[in-house]
C-alpha cells in the first residue's frame, strides 16, 4: 500500500524541525482560516464525540487539541463545564474570541498541566492524528480523568474506505514523489484499526471501549482545488510544496481528474468516513 503523505514516510534529516514543531507551525498559521477550511469537515465529528463521551450538564470536561473551540462550545451548550487546551497560541486566541463560557488555554496534550482525576470527561476531535506521541496523550487523558470518567476521540478512516486518502498518495507518487525532506510522522490511520486502539486504551487503564462510524463528507469547489489543499491540511501541503513546479502542476491536474467521479455542478463531494472511539477510565 502506498503510504499516505498525511502521515509516515519522509526522509530523516538531522537539521530538520521535528514533526511536532512542523505541526505547531502549520496549525498556528491556519488559525484564522481554520473554520473556513479544516473546520468545515472536522465539525462532522462533534456530535458523535460528545454523545460517545456521554457529556451532559455539570460534567467537568477537557477538550484536548481544541483548535478554534467548536467542540468545546458544543459541550458547553450541553451544560458542561469546559476547559479547552491547544498547543497553538493562535488557535487558543481564535477560540477565546468566540465565547466567554469556556476556559481556553495553551497546553500540550502529551504533558497536561492538570492534576490527577480532575475531569469527568475528556474529548479530542481529530487531534490525535497530529500528535508526535499519541500513546502518551492517551495516558495523560487517563491520568486527568476521574475513575469512571469517559474519554472519546475521533479519527479518519484509511484508504481502504476513504477515496481522499487513496487518491492523494497515488497521484503524488505517480506524478511527483512522496520521498521529500520531512521528518517521519506517526501512522495516520493507526487508531482507526480497532484492535490497535483497544490495545493502547487498555494499556492506559481504560475499559469498556466502543466504536462508532461517522459518515462525514468533504466538499469544496473543484475550481478551488489548489487553494483548498494549501489551507485545509498541514502535512499534505508540506509534501506538495516540496514537489518540483512541473510535478506540482501535474499533480493538481491529475487530482482534478481523479475527483471528477465525485464532482457535481463544480463541487467535489468526497466521502470522508471517520470513527469515534470511546472508553471508560478504570
Amino acid at each position: 500500500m502506498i503510504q499516505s503523505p498525511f502521515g509516515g514516510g519522509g526522509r530523516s534529516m538531522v537539521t530538520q524541525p521535528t514533526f511536532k514543531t512542523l505541526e505547531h507551525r502549520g496549525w498556528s498559521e491556519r488559525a484564522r482560516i481554520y473554520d473556513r477550511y479544516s473546520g468545515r469537515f472536522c465539525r462532522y465529528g462533534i456530535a458523535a464525540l460528545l454523545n460517545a463521551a456521554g457529556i451532559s450538564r455539570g460534567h467537568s470536561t477537557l477538550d484536548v487539541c481544541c483548535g478554534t473551540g467548536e467542540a468545546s462550545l458544543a459541550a458547553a451548550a450541553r451544560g458542561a463545564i469546559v476547559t479547552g487546551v491547544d498547543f497553538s497560541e493562535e488557535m487558543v486566541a481564535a477560540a477565546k474570541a468566540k465565547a466567554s463560557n469556556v476556559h481556553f488555554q495553551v497546553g500540550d496534550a502529551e504533558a497536561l498541566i492538570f492534576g490527577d482525576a480532575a475531569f469527568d470527561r475528556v474529548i479530542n476531535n481529530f487531534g490525535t492524528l497530529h500528535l508526535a506521541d499519541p500513546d502518551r496523550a492517551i495516558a495523560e487523558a487517563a491520568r486527568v480523568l476521574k475513575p469512571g470518567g469517559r474519554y472519546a476521540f475521533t479519527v479518519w478512516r484509511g484508504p481502504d474506505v476513504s477515496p481522499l486518502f487513496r487518491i492523494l498518495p497515488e497521484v503524488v507518487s505517480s506524478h511527483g514523489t512522496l520521498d521529500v525532506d520531512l521528518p517521519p510522522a506517526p501512522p495516520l490511520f493507526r487508531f482507526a484499526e480497532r484492535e490497535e486502539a483497544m490495545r493502547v486504551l487498555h494499556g492506559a487503564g481504560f475499559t469498556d471501549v466502543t466504536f462508532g462510524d461517522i459518515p462525514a463528507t468533504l466538499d469544496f469547489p473543484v475550481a478551488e482545488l489548489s487553494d483548498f489543499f494549501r489551507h485545509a491540511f498541514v502535512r499534505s501541503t508540506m509534501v506538495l510544496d516540496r514537489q518540483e513546479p512541473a510535478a506540482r502542476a501535474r499533480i493538481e491536474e491529475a487530482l482534478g481528474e481523479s475527483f471528477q467521479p465525485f464532482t457535481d455542478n463544480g463541487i467535489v463531494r468526497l466521502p470522508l468516513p471517520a470513527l469515534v472511539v470511546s472508553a471508560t477510565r478504570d
Side-chain angles (χ1 to χ4, degrees):
M1 180 182 294
I2 296 171
Q3 173 63 47
S4 169
F6 289 83
R11 293 179 294 197
S12 179
M13 301 290 287
V14 175
T15 59
Q16 281 187 323
T18 64
F19 168 79
K20 187 170 186 174
T21 298
L22 290 175
E23 286 287 315
H24 180 273
R25 180 188 305 166
W27 292 114
S28 295
E29 291 171 348
R30 287 161 173 77
R32 293 184 179 181
I33 58 172
Y34 178 87
D35 290 344
R36 178 181 173 187
Y37 292 96
S38 308
R40 283 166 45 192
F41 51 89
C42 287
R43 291 191 188 101
Y44 281 106
I46 294 176
L49 183 73
L50 302 189
N51 290 339
I55 292 175
S56 60
R57 183 168 299 280
H59 281 147
S60 56
T61 300
L62 178 64
D63 182 9
V64 180
C65 304
C66 68
T68 61
E70 290 295 306
S72 297
L73 296 175
R78 295 190 177 195
I81 304 164
V82 185
T83 298
V85 297
D86 198 278
F87 69 167
S88 166
E89 298 86 344
E90 290 80 2
M91 284 287 189
V92 169
K96 286 181 176 179
K98 290 183 177 181
S100 59
N101 61 337
V102 174
H103 175 64
F104 292 108
Q105 66 186 76
V106 176
D108 187 341
E110 298 163 11
L112 295 170
I113 64 171
F114 308 103
D116 297 352
F119 295 95
D120 298 309
R121 302 288 186 268
V122 176
I123 57 175
N124 186 326
N125 193 41
F126 297 111
T128 304
L129 314 171
H130 305 291
L131 299 175
D133 190 352
D135 298 63
R136 180 61 188 163
I138 290 172
E140 279 290 273
R143 181 184 64 79
V144 302
L145 267 172
K146 298 175 183 177
R150 195 76 178 163
Y151 173 50
F153 63 90
T154 48
V155 291
W156 302 115
R157 297 189 63 193
D160 55 329
V161 295
S162 180
L164 174 67
F165 296 124
R166 171 180 55 82
I167 290 171
L168 186 53
E170 288 179 350
V171 168
V172 172
S173 63
S174 295
H175 300 279
T177 179
L178 295 174
D179 185 21
V180 295
D181 291 335
L182 287 173
L188 180 60
F189 307 110
R190 178 184 171 202
F191 292 103
E193 299 293 334
R194 301 188 184 207
E195 289 186 3
E196 177 66 2
M198 290 182 67
R199 182 188 70 80
V200 175
L201 286 164
H202 286 156
F206 286 104
T207 61
D208 187 26
V209 181
T210 63
F211 301 88
D213 291 316
I214 304 173
T217 303
L218 171 62
D219 62 274
F220 60 94
V222 69
E224 298 176 9
L225 175 67
S226 179
D227 177 68
F228 184 82
F229 277 104
R230 177 166 296 279
H231 294 106
F233 306 104
V234 169
R235 182 78 177 186
S236 61
T237 297
M238 291 188 291
V239 172
L240 293 173
D241 283 347
R242 284 161 174 76
Q243 307 297 316
E244 294 294 331
R248 174 68 184 262
R250 292 194 299 269
I251 289 168
E252 291 186 1
E253 181 180 2
L255 283 174
E257 293 172 355
S258 297
F259 291 150
Q260 279 302 313
F262 305 96
T263 302
D264 181 32
N265 292 324
I267 303 296
V268 177
R269 292 186 174 87
L270 279 171
L272 194 62
L275 191 70
V276 59
V277 185
S278 60
T280 300
R281 180 70 175 96
D282 196 5

